Amino acid sequence: MVVILPTVLGAACTRDDTASGRPEPSPSVLGHVHGLGIDPLNGGLYVATHGGLFRAGPTGLEKVGTSAAANRDLMGFLVVGPGVFLASGHPSPLEATPNPLGLVRSTDGGLSWQTIALSGEVDFHALAQGPGGIYGVDAEGSVRFSQDGGVRWEAWPAPPALDVAADPHRPGHLVLAVVGGIAAVDGSAASAPGTPAPVVELAPQMAYLSWAPDGELFGLTTDARLLASPDGGASWLPRATVPGGRPQSLTAVGQERVLAATAGGVHESRDGGRTFTTLATMGT
């Protein structure tokens, strides 16, 4: 199935956006895709964008919610349980809400959002969940960690990161996408005062990382090549180039099912990233 997304009517938010000097999105803008996820409650595909949260429906992508908050610029989107989502980003211009949002949570599939922490302070550009907790990368590239569902956060010593993937089997073990390669971070070492930052290992420049809960670590390069690592980032195997140009998001739902967004739309693989089907394209 291919569904068509409305034409982008305004500037898209990028990793370089900050709380100040950023053009506010119009409520009609779909814009840049910031996150992808599958809700285990209903199997629905959710797409977090510059212009709100959308769900794949029988007639295409449909806006979730009707309140002013439905037009938020959602970033760092993460499905953490059935009907339970986390996100960050910026409020709609129709809201009297601190900017940035900090961490917000929805327990009704994105229909409503509640502030959890860091309102007006932090814009998480990436979020990941692992057995040790929730991990975030803020707009400055700093890595943070929460053990209580996002209420309290601690800083981790790490090089500035673009994205974070949490090992589904080793609590506290992360792989970060950084400029020039990747960096592995172990929670036990990171918690020790004065611990030096991890060494950056040379690797293809990753824009996004995602660890399949039941398998490999996936990486999406800046030129939209999907790679897979069976050993936590020590080596990488080529899979396929995701169509559509500049990468925007990556989510490994499982070892075989991988979701990716590019400037051309939203794409899905059912064979571990070897081939992709376009689910949605940018257009009129």
Side-chain angles (χ1 to χ4, degrees):
M1 176 184 70
V2 176
V3 295
I4 304 300
L5 308 187
T7 301
V8 177
L9 301 178
C13 196
T14 70
R15 287 172 181 261
D16 296 326
D17 293 337
T18 60
S20 60
R22 180 188 63 83
E24 289 292 347
S26 161
S28 62
V29 173
L30 181 68
H32 196 281
V33 174
H34 294 312
L36 300 164
I38 302 294
D39 186 351
L41 181 66
N42 53 31
L45 166 65
Y46 287 81
V47 183
T49 78
H50 187 64
L53 183 66
F54 291 77
R55 180 186 173 190
T59 61
L61 292 186
E62 304 166 348
K63 176 69 75 67
V64 177
T66 58
S67 68
N71 298 307
R72 287 176 169 180
D73 178 5
L74 295 178
M75 302 192 67
F77 179 73
L78 181 65
V79 176
V80 296
V84 183
F85 307 157
L86 296 178
S88 192
H90 307 277
S92 159
L94 304 177
E95 294 183 277
T97 302
N99 187 12
L101 293 173
L103 186 75
V104 295
R105 179 173 63 200
S106 173
T107 57
D108 55 11
L111 293 174
S112 63
W113 296 90
Q114 301 80 43
T115 299
I116 301 302
L118 305 173
S119 176
E121 300 178 31
V122 172
D123 173 17
F124 286 110
H125 280 199
L127 293 168
Q129 184 178 35
I134 297 170
Y135 308 88
V137 178
D138 65 24
E140 286 72 43
S142 299
V143 180
R144 301 176 186 233
F145 167 62
S146 174
Q147 291 181 294
D148 58 6
V151 177
R152 293 184 294 270
W153 291 85
E154 302 175 27
W156 278 33
L162 303 172
D163 202 4
V164 54
D167 190 326
H169 305 296
R170 293 173 57 188
H173 182 70
L174 309 179
V175 175
L176 308 174
V178 299
V179 175
I182 62 169
V185 181
D186 180 72
S188 60
S191 61
T195 302
V199 175
V200 175
E201 299 179 7
L202 294 178
Q205 183 60 63
M206 302 296 180
Y208 299 96
L209 296 170
S210 185
W211 215 315
D214 57 351
E216 295 176 314
L217 171 66
F218 289 90
L220 190 59
T221 66
T222 52
D223 56 357
R225 290 178 295 120
L226 185 75
L227 307 178
S229 175
D231 50 18
S235 62
W236 295 92
L237 304 173
R239 291 294 165 87
T241 297
V242 182
R246 183 179 178 181
Q248 296 185 351
S249 185
L250 176 68
T251 298
V253 181
Q255 177 61 31
E256 298 300 315
R257 190 177 187 186
V258 180
L259 302 171
T262 63
V266 178
H267 317 278
E268 179 185 45
S269 174
R270 293 278 188 159
D271 57 8
R274 293 169 179 83
T275 60
F276 279 87
T277 298
T278 299
L279 301 181
T281 60
M282 296 292 186
T284 54

